[in-house]
mmCIF file of all heavy atoms in Angstrom:
data_model
loop_
_atom_site.group_PDB
_atom_site.id
_atom_site.type_symbol
_atom_site.label_atom_id
_atom_site.label_comp_id
_atom_site.label_asym_id
_atom_site.label_seq_id
_atom_site.Cartn_x
_atom_site.Cartn_y
_atom_site.Cartn_z
ATOM 1 N N LEU P 23 89.226 96.063 79.004
ATOM 2 C CA LEU P 23 88.911 94.901 79.803
ATOM 3 C C LEU P 23 87.602 95.105 80.555
ATOM 4 O O LEU P 23 87.080 96.214 80.629
ATOM 5 C CB LEU P 23 90.042 94.605 80.787
ATOM 6 C CG LEU P 23 91.429 94.398 80.196
ATOM 7 C CD1 LEU P 23 92.447 94.137 81.283
ATOM 8 C CD2 LEU P 23 91.440 93.277 79.163
ATOM 9 N N ASP P 24 87.072 94.006 81.115
ATOM 10 C CA ASP P 24 85.831 94.125 81.884
ATOM 11 C C ASP P 24 86.010 95.061 83.069
ATOM 12 O O ASP P 24 85.093 95.781 83.451
ATOM 13 C CB ASP P 24 85.394 92.738 82.373
ATOM 14 C CG ASP P 24 84.941 91.832 81.239
ATOM 15 O OD1 ASP P 24 84.581 92.362 80.182
ATOM 16 O OD2 ASP P 24 84.985 90.604 81.407
ATOM 17 N N PHE P 25 87.206 95.027 83.637
ATOM 18 C CA PHE P 25 87.495 95.903 84.774
ATOM 19 C C PHE P 25 88.189 97.166 84.273
ATOM 20 O O PHE P 25 89.248 97.093 83.657
ATOM 21 C CB PHE P 25 88.398 95.177 85.780
ATOM 22 C CG PHE P 25 88.948 96.087 86.855
ATOM 23 C CD1 PHE P 25 88.093 96.664 87.784
ATOM 24 C CD2 PHE P 25 90.294 96.366 86.918
ATOM 25 C CE1 PHE P 25 88.598 97.514 88.755
ATOM 26 C CE2 PHE P 25 90.805 97.207 87.893
ATOM 27 C CZ PHE P 25 89.943 97.774 88.824
ATOM 28 N N ASN P 26 87.584 98.301 84.540
ATOM 29 C CA ASN P 26 88.159 99.587 84.106
ATOM 30 C C ASN P 26 88.460 100.411 85.348
ATOM 31 O O ASN P 26 87.563 100.956 85.985
ATOM 32 C CB ASN P 26 87.168 100.335 83.200
ATOM 33 C CG ASN P 26 87.812 101.479 82.465
ATOM 34 O OD1 ASN P 26 89.030 101.608 82.466
ATOM 35 N ND2 ASN P 26 87.019 102.321 81.855
ATOM 36 N N PRO P 27 89.736 100.511 85.725
ATOM 37 C CA PRO P 27 90.097 101.172 86.994
ATOM 38 C C PRO P 27 89.915 102.690 86.918
ATOM 39 O O PRO P 27 89.825 103.261 85.829
ATOM 40 C CB PRO P 27 91.570 100.795 87.164
ATOM 41 C CG PRO P 27 92.063 100.605 85.784
ATOM 42 C CD PRO P 27 90.924 100.003 85.016
ATOM 43 N N PRO P 28 89.866 103.339 88.073
ATOM 44 C CA PRO P 28 89.729 104.809 88.107
ATOM 45 C C PRO P 28 90.912 105.498 87.449
ATOM 46 O O PRO P 28 91.992 104.920 87.304
ATOM 47 C CB PRO P 28 89.657 105.118 89.613
ATOM 48 C CG PRO P 28 89.347 103.826 90.280
ATOM 49 C CD PRO P 28 89.895 102.752 89.418
ATOM 50 N N ALA P 29 90.695 106.741 87.069
ATOM 51 C CA ALA P 29 91.763 107.540 86.467
ATOM 52 C C ALA P 29 92.936 107.662 87.460
ATOM 53 O O ALA P 29 92.744 107.754 88.664
ATOM 54 C CB ALA P 29 91.240 108.934 86.115
ATOM 55 N N GLY P 30 94.119 107.634 86.930
ATOM 56 C CA GLY P 30 95.312 107.775 87.761
ATOM 57 C C GLY P 30 95.940 106.477 88.167
ATOM 58 O O GLY P 30 97.099 106.458 88.617
ATOM 59 N N VAL P 31 95.221 105.379 88.011
ATOM 60 C CA VAL P 31 95.759 104.078 88.434
ATOM 61 C C VAL P 31 96.982 103.706 87.619
ATOM 62 O O VAL P 31 98.015 103.262 88.148
ATOM 63 C CB VAL P 31 94.674 102.981 88.312
ATOM 64 C CG1 VAL P 31 95.311 101.588 88.315
ATOM 65 C CG2 VAL P 31 93.681 103.096 89.463
ATOM 66 N N HIS P 32 96.904 103.888 86.310
ATOM 67 C CA HIS P 32 98.002 103.460 85.432
ATOM 68 C C HIS P 32 99.278 104.235 85.712
ATOM 69 O O HIS P 32 100.383 103.674 85.693
ATOM 70 C CB HIS P 32 97.608 103.597 83.968
ATOM 71 C CG HIS P 32 96.397 102.789 83.604
ATOM 72 N ND1 HIS P 32 96.350 101.440 83.750
ATOM 73 C CD2 HIS P 32 95.168 103.157 83.114
ATOM 74 C CE1 HIS P 32 95.160 100.975 83.355
ATOM 75 N NE2 HIS P 32 94.451 102.016 82.976
ATOM 76 N N SER P 33 99.133 105.525 85.993
ATOM 77 C CA SER P 33 100.342 106.322 86.280
ATOM 78 C C SER P 33 100.981 105.883 87.596
ATOM 79 O O SER P 33 102.215 105.868 87.727
ATOM 80 C CB SER P 33 99.996 107.816 86.332
ATOM 81 O OG SER P 33 99.067 108.088 87.372
ATOM 82 N N LEU P 34 100.174 105.484 88.571
ATOM 83 C CA LEU P 34 100.711 105.003 89.837
ATOM 84 C C LEU P 34 101.421 103.662 89.659
ATOM 85 O O LEU P 34 102.475 103.405 90.259
ATOM 86 C CB LEU P 34 99.603 104.881 90.894
ATOM 87 C CG LEU P 34 99.078 106.191 91.473
ATOM 88 C CD1 LEU P 34 97.918 105.915 92.420
ATOM 89 C CD2 LEU P 34 100.175 106.955 92.189
ATOM 90 N N LEU P 35 100.840 102.781 88.840
ATOM 91 C CA LEU P 35 101.486 101.494 88.572
ATOM 92 C C LEU P 35 102.823 101.698 87.870
ATOM 93 O O LEU P 35 103.822 101.050 88.196
ATOM 94 C CB LEU P 35 100.570 100.609 87.732
ATOM 95 C CG LEU P 35 99.319 100.090 88.442
ATOM 96 C CD1 LEU P 35 98.415 99.354 87.442
ATOM 97 C CD2 LEU P 35 99.690 99.164 89.599
ATOM 98 N N ARG P 36 102.834 102.617 86.896
ATOM 99 C CA ARG P 36 104.099 102.901 86.207
ATOM 100 C C ARG P 36 105.118 103.491 87.156
ATOM 101 O O ARG P 36 106.320 103.171 87.105
ATOM 102 C CB ARG P 36 103.845 103.832 85.014
ATOM 103 C CG ARG P 36 103.169 103.138 83.827
ATOM 104 C CD ARG P 36 103.208 104.017 82.590
ATOM 105 N NE ARG P 36 102.362 105.193 82.746
ATOM 106 C CZ ARG P 36 101.089 105.229 82.385
ATOM 107 N NH1 ARG P 36 100.509 104.168 81.842
ATOM 108 N NH2 ARG P 36 100.381 106.338 82.544
ATOM 109 N N ARG P 37 104.655 104.365 88.056
ATOM 110 C CA ARG P 37 105.559 104.962 89.041
ATOM 111 C C ARG P 37 106.166 103.877 89.921
ATOM 112 O O ARG P 37 107.391 103.886 90.192
ATOM 113 C CB ARG P 37 104.789 105.963 89.903
ATOM 114 C CG ARG P 37 105.619 106.556 91.058
ATOM 115 C CD ARG P 37 104.749 107.415 91.941
ATOM 116 N NE ARG P 37 105.407 107.734 93.210
ATOM 117 C CZ ARG P 37 104.790 108.326 94.248
ATOM 118 N NH1 ARG P 37 103.513 108.681 94.160
ATOM 119 N NH2 ARG P 37 105.458 108.563 95.365
ATOM 120 N N GLY P 38 105.362 102.934 90.378
ATOM 121 C CA GLY P 38 105.872 101.852 91.216
ATOM 122 C C GLY P 38 106.920 101.039 90.495
ATOM 123 O O GLY P 38 107.954 100.684 91.079
ATOM 124 N N ASN P 39 106.656 100.726 89.223
ATOM 125 C CA ASN P 39 107.640 99.978 88.432
ATOM 126 C C ASN P 39 108.927 100.765 88.270
ATOM 127 O O ASN P 39 110.034 100.230 88.451
ATOM 128 C CB ASN P 39 107.052 99.683 87.046
ATOM 129 C CG ASN P 39 106.584 98.243 86.926
ATOM 130 O OD1 ASN P 39 106.794 97.433 87.817
ATOM 131 N ND2 ASN P 39 105.939 97.924 85.816
ATOM 132 N N ASP P 40 108.799 102.038 87.905
ATOM 133 C CA ASP P 40 109.986 102.866 87.673
ATOM 134 C C ASP P 40 110.837 102.996 88.922
ATOM 135 O O ASP P 40 112.071 102.937 88.863
ATOM 136 C CB ASP P 40 109.570 104.247 87.174
ATOM 137 C CG ASP P 40 108.967 104.223 85.764
ATOM 138 O OD1 ASP P 40 109.131 103.214 85.058
ATOM 139 O OD2 ASP P 40 108.310 105.214 85.379
ATOM 140 N N GLU P 41 110.170 103.156 90.077
ATOM 141 C CA GLU P 41 110.919 103.313 91.325
ATOM 142 C C GLU P 41 111.627 102.030 91.707
ATOM 143 O O GLU P 41 112.763 102.064 92.210
ATOM 144 C CB GLU P 41 109.970 103.766 92.433
ATOM 145 C CG GLU P 41 109.483 105.210 92.279
ATOM 146 C CD GLU P 41 108.514 105.631 93.364
ATOM 147 O OE1 GLU P 41 108.079 104.762 94.166
ATOM 148 O OE2 GLU P 41 108.185 106.825 93.423
ATOM 149 N N LEU P 42 110.971 100.895 91.504
ATOM 150 C CA LEU P 42 111.615 99.628 91.851
ATOM 151 C C LEU P 42 112.821 99.364 90.957
ATOM 152 O O LEU P 42 113.866 98.926 91.431
ATOM 153 C CB LEU P 42 110.603 98.475 91.728
ATOM 154 C CG LEU P 42 111.047 97.133 92.305
ATOM 155 C CD1 LEU P 42 111.327 97.238 93.791
ATOM 156 C CD2 LEU P 42 110.019 96.057 92.028
ATOM 157 N N ILE P 43 112.688 99.659 89.682
ATOM 158 C CA ILE P 43 113.824 99.486 88.760
ATOM 159 C C ILE P 43 114.970 100.404 89.175
ATOM 160 O O ILE P 43 116.140 99.990 89.247
ATOM 161 C CB ILE P 43 113.389 99.776 87.313
ATOM 162 C CG1 ILE P 43 112.384 98.713 86.845
ATOM 163 C CG2 ILE P 43 114.585 99.807 86.382
ATOM 164 C CD1 ILE P 43 111.692 99.060 85.547
ATOM 165 N N ALA P 44 114.621 101.682 89.454
ATOM 166 C CA ALA P 44 115.648 102.666 89.785
ATOM 167 C C ALA P 44 116.348 102.336 91.118
ATOM 168 O O ALA P 44 117.506 102.719 91.315
ATOM 169 C CB ALA P 44 115.051 104.054 89.857
ATOM 170 N N SER P 45 115.665 101.617 91.992
ATOM 171 C CA SER P 45 116.255 101.290 93.299
ATOM 172 C C SER P 45 117.451 100.356 93.165
ATOM 173 O O SER P 45 118.281 100.259 94.087
ATOM 174 C CB SER P 45 115.206 100.616 94.193
ATOM 175 O OG SER P 45 114.926 99.298 93.780
ATOM 176 N N GLY P 46 117.523 99.643 92.045
ATOM 177 C CA GLY P 46 118.628 98.700 91.859
ATOM 178 C C GLY P 46 118.489 97.434 92.671
ATOM 179 O O GLY P 46 119.439 96.646 92.768
ATOM 180 N N ILE P 47 117.303 97.191 93.230
ATOM 181 C CA ILE P 47 117.124 96.042 94.117
ATOM 182 C C ILE P 47 117.319 94.724 93.384
ATOM 183 O O ILE P 47 117.690 93.711 94.004
ATOM 184 C CB ILE P 47 115.730 96.105 94.785
ATOM 185 C CG1 ILE P 47 115.654 95.133 95.966
ATOM 186 C CG2 ILE P 47 114.622 95.830 93.776
ATOM 187 C CD1 ILE P 47 114.409 95.292 96.797
ATOM 188 N N ALA P 48 117.107 94.730 92.083
ATOM 189 C CA ALA P 48 117.299 93.480 91.336
ATOM 190 C C ALA P 48 118.746 93.005 91.419
ATOM 191 O O ALA P 48 119.019 91.802 91.256
ATOM 192 C CB ALA P 48 116.878 93.665 89.879
ATOM 193 N N GLY P 49 119.655 93.934 91.711
ATOM 194 C CA GLY P 49 121.056 93.549 91.849
ATOM 195 C C GLY P 49 121.334 92.713 93.085
ATOM 196 O O GLY P 49 122.421 92.134 93.227
ATOM 197 N N ASN P 50 120.359 92.653 94.015
ATOM 198 C CA ASN P 50 120.522 91.834 95.207
ATOM 199 C C ASN P 50 120.223 90.357 94.953
ATOM 200 O O ASN P 50 120.527 89.506 95.789
ATOM 201 C CB ASN P 50 119.584 92.310 96.323
ATOM 202 C CG ASN P 50 119.904 93.729 96.786
ATOM 203 O OD1 ASN P 50 121.044 94.177 96.649
ATOM 204 N ND2 ASN P 50 118.906 94.424 97.320
ATOM 205 N N ALA P 51 119.577 90.070 93.821
ATOM 206 C CA ALA P 51 119.146 88.699 93.545
ATOM 207 C C ALA P 51 120.339 87.802 93.206
ATOM 208 O O ALA P 51 121.364 88.268 92.703
ATOM 209 C CB ALA P 51 118.154 88.700 92.383
ATOM 210 N N LEU P 52 120.175 86.531 93.523
ATOM 211 C CA LEU P 52 121.197 85.569 93.141
ATOM 212 C C LEU P 52 121.326 85.510 91.623
ATOM 213 O O LEU P 52 120.364 85.788 90.894
ATOM 214 C CB LEU P 52 120.835 84.179 93.677
ATOM 215 C CG LEU P 52 120.768 84.032 95.201
ATOM 216 C CD1 LEU P 52 120.511 82.570 95.574
ATOM 217 C CD2 LEU P 52 122.032 84.540 95.868
ATOM 218 N N SER P 53 122.495 85.148 91.165
ATOM 219 C CA SER P 53 122.748 85.131 89.726
ATOM 220 C C SER P 53 123.467 83.851 89.341
ATOM 221 O O SER P 53 123.811 83.026 90.201
ATOM 222 C CB SER P 53 123.584 86.365 89.320
ATOM 223 O OG SER P 53 124.807 86.407 90.026
ATOM 224 N N ALA P 54 123.700 83.674 88.048
ATOM 225 C CA ALA P 54 124.389 82.484 87.568
ATOM 226 C C ALA P 54 125.756 82.348 88.231
ATOM 227 O O ALA P 54 126.497 83.320 88.352
ATOM 228 C CB ALA P 54 124.526 82.548 86.050
ATOM 229 N N GLY P 55 126.037 81.165 88.700
ATOM 230 C CA GLY P 55 127.291 80.896 89.414
ATOM 231 C C GLY P 55 127.108 80.786 90.909
ATOM 232 O O GLY P 55 127.929 80.173 91.603
ATOM 233 N N ASP P 56 126.022 81.384 91.453
ATOM 234 C CA ASP P 56 125.725 81.263 92.876
ATOM 235 C C ASP P 56 125.151 79.871 93.179
ATOM 236 O O ASP P 56 124.587 79.201 92.295
ATOM 237 C CB ASP P 56 124.712 82.326 93.313
ATOM 238 C CG ASP P 56 125.293 83.734 93.280
ATOM 239 O OD1 ASP P 56 126.514 83.868 93.480
ATOM 240 O OD2 ASP P 56 124.528 84.690 93.044
ATOM 241 N N ILE P 57 125.262 79.468 94.424
ATOM 242 C CA ILE P 57 124.644 78.227 94.876
ATOM 243 C C ILE P 57 123.237 78.545 95.365
ATOM 244 O O ILE P 57 123.037 79.436 96.192
ATOM 245 C CB ILE P 57 125.465 77.573 96.005
ATOM 246 C CG1 ILE P 57 126.850 77.224 95.497
ATOM 247 C CG2 ILE P 57 124.750 76.321 96.523
ATOM 248 C CD1 ILE P 57 126.864 76.238 94.326
ATOM 249 N N ALA P 58 122.272 77.794 94.850
ATOM 250 C CA ALA P 58 120.877 78.028 95.223
ATOM 251 C C ALA P 58 120.594 77.533 96.633
ATOM 252 O O ALA P 58 121.058 76.439 97.016
ATOM 253 C CB ALA P 58 119.949 77.325 94.235
ATOM 254 N N PRO P 59 119.891 78.314 97.425
ATOM 255 C CA PRO P 59 119.506 77.845 98.758
ATOM 256 C C PRO P 59 118.578 76.643 98.644
ATOM 257 O O PRO P 59 117.731 76.566 97.755
ATOM 258 C CB PRO P 59 118.765 79.058 99.362
ATOM 259 C CG PRO P 59 119.104 80.214 98.484
ATOM 260 C CD PRO P 59 119.367 79.680 97.133
ATOM 261 N N HIS P 60 118.740 75.685 99.543
ATOM 262 C CA HIS P 60 117.807 74.567 99.620
ATOM 263 C C HIS P 60 116.507 75.042 100.273
ATOM 264 O O HIS P 60 116.512 75.935 101.119
ATOM 265 C CB HIS P 60 118.396 73.412 100.408
ATOM 266 C CG HIS P 60 119.504 72.690 99.693
ATOM 267 N ND1 HIS P 60 119.329 72.117 98.452
ATOM 268 C CD2 HIS P 60 120.785 72.460 100.047
ATOM 269 C CE1 HIS P 60 120.457 71.557 98.064
ATOM 270 N NE2 HIS P 60 121.362 71.743 99.016
ATOM 271 N N PHE P 61 115.404 74.427 99.891
ATOM 272 C CA PHE P 61 114.133 74.779 100.509
ATOM 273 C C PHE P 61 113.241 73.547 100.597
ATOM 274 O O PHE P 61 113.374 72.580 99.832
ATOM 275 C CB PHE P 61 113.411 75.886 99.746
ATOM 276 C CG PHE P 61 113.152 75.603 98.288
ATOM 277 C CD1 PHE P 61 112.067 74.835 97.867
ATOM 278 C CD2 PHE P 61 114.004 76.082 97.308
ATOM 279 C CE1 PHE P 61 111.830 74.561 96.541
ATOM 280 C CE2 PHE P 61 113.786 75.832 95.953
ATOM 281 C CZ PHE P 61 112.691 75.059 95.571
ATOM 282 N N ILE P 62 112.368 73.569 101.583
ATOM 283 C CA ILE P 62 111.336 72.562 101.762
ATOM 284 C C ILE P 62 110.027 73.321 101.976
ATOM 285 O O ILE P 62 109.870 74.050 102.957
ATOM 286 C CB ILE P 62 111.618 71.632 102.959
ATOM 287 C CG1 ILE P 62 112.930 70.880 102.764
ATOM 288 C CG2 ILE P 62 110.473 70.646 103.150
ATOM 289 C CD1 ILE P 62 113.339 70.040 103.972
ATOM 290 N N LEU P 63 109.091 73.169 101.044
ATOM 291 C CA LEU P 63 107.840 73.915 101.070
ATOM 292 C C LEU P 63 106.668 72.980 100.830
ATOM 293 O O LEU P 63 106.832 71.864 100.350
ATOM 294 C CB LEU P 63 107.844 75.030 100.015
ATOM 295 C CG LEU P 63 108.886 76.132 100.168
ATOM 296 C CD1 LEU P 63 108.868 77.038 98.953
ATOM 297 C CD2 LEU P 63 108.661 76.939 101.445
ATOM 298 N N GLN P 64 105.468 73.475 101.110
ATOM 299 C CA GLN P 64 104.257 72.704 100.847
ATOM 300 C C GLN P 64 103.635 73.122 99.526
ATOM 301 O O GLN P 64 103.604 74.301 99.186
ATOM 302 C CB GLN P 64 103.239 72.901 101.967
ATOM 303 C CG GLN P 64 103.534 72.113 103.234
ATOM 304 C CD GLN P 64 102.334 72.063 104.166
ATOM 305 O OE1 GLN P 64 101.484 72.937 104.153
ATOM 306 N NE2 GLN P 64 102.276 71.027 104.991
#
């Protein structure tokens, strides 16, 4: 790509992804069967 980041960037991005997945935080998200919160936004 036009933008070529410094060495080590890709490993840090992968680390961030791996840690977020391993944290299990996605299990906190609402799922099918839940009632969606109402919202009013701009």
